[in-house]
Amino acid sequence: MLLRRVSQHVKDQNWFAVVLDFSIVVIGVFIGIQVSNWNDARNEASQEQVILASIVDDLRSDELQLNDGIRMAENNIRAANYTLEQAGLRPIGNIEFASSSIDFSSGRLYIPQIQGEFEQTNRLWSQAVVRYHPTQSSAAFDTLMATGDLGLIKDRELVQQLQTYQLLWNDIEGSQNTTFRPFRNQAIFVGQKFGLSPFTDMPEQEFVELVSKQSELEGTLRTIAEYSVIHRDLLEQTRKLNQELMARVSQDIEL
């Protein structure tokens, strides 16, 4: 229809009408492209909101895991140091690092000052060796990486933070698998040699006296506490970034 009309206008040498017809065509194509682009942008924005909401859900789950891990590590430290002090032995102090691949506050870790009365002193061994190893809720991030949809997040700085956060979790899980769990198992084995079980009560005085006489138990408690400090520091670094990310992502979600 339009082509026939343009042909007629050319035949009649009605150049104004020809230009007008072509203008209508160009404007129509332009509007069609813009509408298509607008729909695509709207769909991507909607997808981004879904992704960000999923990330927040994962971050909230991670926060619970990290909080539990930090509390347990602090309990390990407190139980070990309490026992050493009651046995008349020197508790652990700050941990110095000559070098490390992990950023430990300029090579020094400080023993956390844990407030409150210590309870269940008839289960000191249990509270020293039984630890909690957090696991990341990474469903949203893993899906983004697998589908290649990471580019849907427009905030590139947020993307970098998410990648850094993932690396921190990789450090945690790698350390837990290669160091913390194996040493926990070794510590439990040491305790078994002296009749200690991680789930059996023993009167405080009896346990303290045993530690005061057995240098292997003393050394095991010290190492437990030291590794708990390292573990806690890793979890604390990750929790700090977790909270920053939750605040940032929540701002980007349309309420």
Side-chain angles (χ1 to χ4, degrees):
M1 183 72 163
L2 180 61
L3 182 59
R4 187 186 311 160
R5 192 170 64 189
V6 171
S7 300
Q8 185 61 46
H9 289 156
V10 171
K11 188 182 298 183
D12 295 340
Q13 295 187 348
N14 187 348
W15 305 118
F16 175 78
V18 171
V19 171
L20 183 61
D21 288 338
F22 273 110
S23 297
I24 292 171
V25 171
V26 170
I27 292 171
V29 171
F30 175 77
I31 292 173
I33 292 173
Q34 288 300 105
V35 169
S36 178
N37 290 340
W38 180 77
N39 283 331
D40 289 343
R42 186 179 178 185
N43 289 335
E44 287 186 2
S46 177
Q47 288 178 288
E48 182 185 27
Q49 291 294 301
V50 172
I51 290 168
L52 293 176
S54 298
I55 289 173
V56 167
D57 288 341
D58 282 352
L59 290 171
R60 285 173 179 157
S61 297
D62 289 349
E63 183 183 29
L64 296 176
Q65 291 277 318
L66 292 165
N67 287 342
D68 287 344
I70 290 169
R71 279 195 296 269
M72 183 62 82
E74 290 178 347
N75 204 52
N76 298 148
I77 298 164
R78 182 161 51 179
N81 264 350
Y82 177 86
T83 302
L84 292 171
E85 289 176 340
Q86 295 303 306
L89 302 168
R90 177 180 54 83
I92 64 167
N94 298 333
I95 302 175
E96 301 282 349
F97 291 88
S99 63
S100 175
S101 60
I102 304 172
D103 180 13
F104 282 129
S105 305
S106 302
R108 170 176 290 188
L109 284 182
Y110 294 94
I111 305 306
Q113 299 300 312
I114 305 165
Q115 305 298 324
E117 293 296 325
F118 192 71
E119 300 176 354
Q120 294 186 324
T121 55
N122 62 325
R123 303 195 68 191
L124 288 170
W125 179 247
S126 173
Q127 293 188 74
V129 300
V130 175
R131 67 188 326 151
Y132 181 73
H133 299 104
T135 56
Q136 182 188 16
S137 299
S138 59
F141 188 84
D142 290 344
T143 300
L144 282 175
M145 296 300 292
T147 59
D149 288 340
L150 199 59
L152 288 173
I153 300 178
K154 301 297 186 295
D155 188 339
R156 304 319 297 169
E157 187 175 344
L158 172 59
V159 172
Q160 290 178 348
Q161 280 189 307
L162 286 170
Q163 291 170 330
T164 299
Y165 181 72
Q166 185 67 30
L167 290 175
L168 281 174
W169 268 107
N170 289 343
D171 283 342
I172 289 172
E173 292 174 359
S175 297
Q176 288 177 165
N177 291 333
T178 61
T179 303
F180 301 135
R181 279 193 180 95
F183 184 76
R184 184 270 318 273
N185 296 340
Q186 182 183 348
I188 290 174
F189 176 74
V190 170
Q192 288 173 342
K193 294 196 296 183
F194 298 99
L196 298 171
S197 164
F199 303 106
T200 301
D201 293 354
M202 175 178 282
E204 176 185 345
Q205 190 56 43
E206 184 180 342
F207 177 66
V208 167
E209 185 176 353
L210 186 62
V211 172
S212 68
K213 293 179 179 178
Q214 301 293 338
S215 59
E216 189 173 5
L217 275 178
E218 177 191 350
T220 298
L221 280 174
R222 290 189 186 282
T223 311
I224 284 172
E226 289 163 353
Y227 275 127
S228 295
V229 171
I230 297 170
H231 193 197
R232 178 188 179 280
D233 191 75
L234 278 171
L235 299 179
E236 189 62 61
Q237 288 182 53
T238 308
R239 182 170 67 175
K240 181 180 178 181
L241 184 53
N242 171 279
Q243 292 169 344
E244 291 175 3
L245 280 169
M246 272 202 290
R248 182 165 193 156
V249 176
S250 296
Q251 288 179 349
D252 289 342
I253 295 177
E254 294 177 359
L255 299 179

